[in-house]
Amino acid sequence: MPVQDFIAAIDGVRLACQTVTPDTDTAEIAPAFPHNAGSDGDSPTIIMLHEALGTIRMWRDFPQRLANATGLSCLVYERRGHGKSDPQTVVPRPVDFHNEETDRFLHGLITSLNLNNPILFGHSDGATIALKYAARFPAIPRAVISLAAHAFVEDVTIDGIEMAAQTYANTDWKSRLERHHFDQTDTVFRAWVDTWRQPAFRTWQMIDELPAITCPALILQGDDDQFGSNDQVTTIANHVSGPVTSHIIPNCGHIPHLETPDAVIESVRHFLDTNFK
């Protein structure tokens, strides 16, 4: 079956996971990666890391489209405190919370599932975690694909979060998020906005870690991203040590994989063909 749900227990924490495999009956499939599967047929897995309010379902049909376009299986999981995963226990989160996500949970998931040479695909906070992991475990990822990552904190980011907090308080956004996060909705929202609004978070950055990234990197962002400027893309591209491709997607906001999915998939296919042919 193209989609299979399961639970992975990482260091005593249950994380909801889903595997999405290429649908060979889909006419649009034109795999970008099968020539790199290796003689043993052990293809890399694309690990998908969601944004601050994300869940498996909120990726919609994009994981299936990505699997079909690349010929690779995708592993989608919900971080602690999201969706059907175990609850988050500390809110606001520590300023360095990305480190726990990389060192404890993402690394634990990769090792427990024996995923060799994974390709990390992250959006927003998930993209920051993907970049962090590639920097802290440079020998493991085969590549990293970043959509709308943050390498440092900007005024536009905090302004966007303040606006999001007002929207959450004054609209039906909470009830819409409850379809995905259930009774964890308030906590996951607070874990996002209260963490980023801490005074100590204004000086957070991971620029110093970027040179440790040696695997090929694809850095994407919309030209109308309400949570980050184009300086994020430039900074990341200028500091990583491995091959890097960067692209600002026109007429696109903070969620490129839903706003301009065709452009994202084409960028990913070209990136894989260029770096792994």
Side-chain angles (χ1 to χ4, degrees):
M1 295 192 306
V3 176
Q4 183 174 5
D5 297 308
F6 66 98
I7 296 292
I10 306 300
D11 197 16
V13 178
R14 291 162 49 88
L15 301 179
C17 302
Q18 183 178 92
T19 54
V20 181
T21 57
D23 184 354
T24 55
D25 294 329
T26 301
E28 70 174 343
I29 185 169
F33 210 89
H35 45 267
N36 293 297
S39 58
D40 58 358
D42 185 20
S43 299
T45 297
I46 299 175
I47 303 178
M48 305 188 69
L49 299 118
H50 60 68
E51 73 275 22
L53 299 180
T55 62
I56 290 171
R57 288 178 58 213
M58 291 171 75
W59 287 101
R60 301 183 190 172
D61 67 343
F62 187 80
Q64 188 67 68
R65 292 193 61 187
L66 185 62
N68 291 350
T70 61
L72 298 176
S73 294
C74 295
L75 170 68
V76 193
Y77 77 97
E78 295 173 341
R79 296 199 298 275
R80 184 176 193 173
H82 295 252
K84 296 181 180 179
S85 290
D86 280 351
Q88 179 61 250
T89 58
V90 178
V91 176
R93 303 187 69 180
V95 172
D96 63 353
F97 75 91
H98 297 100
N99 296 344
E100 181 181 45
E101 293 296 343
T102 58
D103 300 359
R104 181 182 180 188
F105 294 114
L106 180 53
H107 190 60
L109 197 63
I110 289 172
T111 54
S112 67
L113 298 179
N114 297 313
L115 300 177
N116 297 319
N117 301 315
I119 295 172
L120 306 179
F121 184 107
H123 170 236
S124 195
D125 265 359
T128 300
I129 293 166
L131 292 168
K132 272 263 185 182
Y133 189 88
R136 297 168 81 87
F137 299 91
I140 294 179
R142 189 157 191 175
V144 59
I145 300 168
S146 162
L147 275 67
H150 299 96
F152 57 96
V153 179
E154 299 180 278
D155 289 343
V156 65
T157 312
I158 302 303
D159 290 346
I161 288 172
E162 293 291 353
M163 185 174 296
Q166 295 177 23
T167 302
Y168 186 81
N170 297 306
T171 69
D172 66 344
W173 192 9
K174 176 181 176 180
S175 63
R176 289 185 283 120
L177 285 174
E178 285 176 334
R179 298 198 297 266
H180 304 281
H181 294 289
F182 315 106
D183 59 356
Q184 301 196 96
T185 302
D186 274 331
T187 302
V188 75
F189 192 84
R190 297 267 76 84
W192 174 42
V193 298
D194 291 353
T195 299
W196 280 76
R197 291 193 293 189
Q198 295 175 97
F201 207 89
R202 292 305 294 259
T203 59
W204 172 88
Q205 54 87 18
M206 62 163 294
I207 299 171
D208 297 343
E209 294 189 65
L210 292 172
I213 299 176
T214 56
C215 66
L218 173 62
I219 314 301
L220 302 174
Q221 183 168 305
D223 65 348
D224 192 26
D225 191 325
Q226 64 270 42
F227 292 101
S229 76
N230 294 354
D231 289 344
Q232 298 286 345
V233 173
T234 303
T235 298
I236 296 167
N238 287 345
H239 284 81
V240 299
S241 296
V244 61
T245 302
S246 61
H247 181 53
I248 302 296
I249 303 173
N251 304 312
C252 179
H254 185 61
I255 315 177
H257 58 284
L258 298 185
E259 297 175 53
T260 57
D262 292 342
V264 173
I265 287 174
E266 182 55 35
S267 293
V268 171
R269 284 177 49 80
H270 183 266
F271 170 71
L272 296 179
D273 281 338
T274 300
N275 287 279
F276 300 106
K277 204 161 190 177

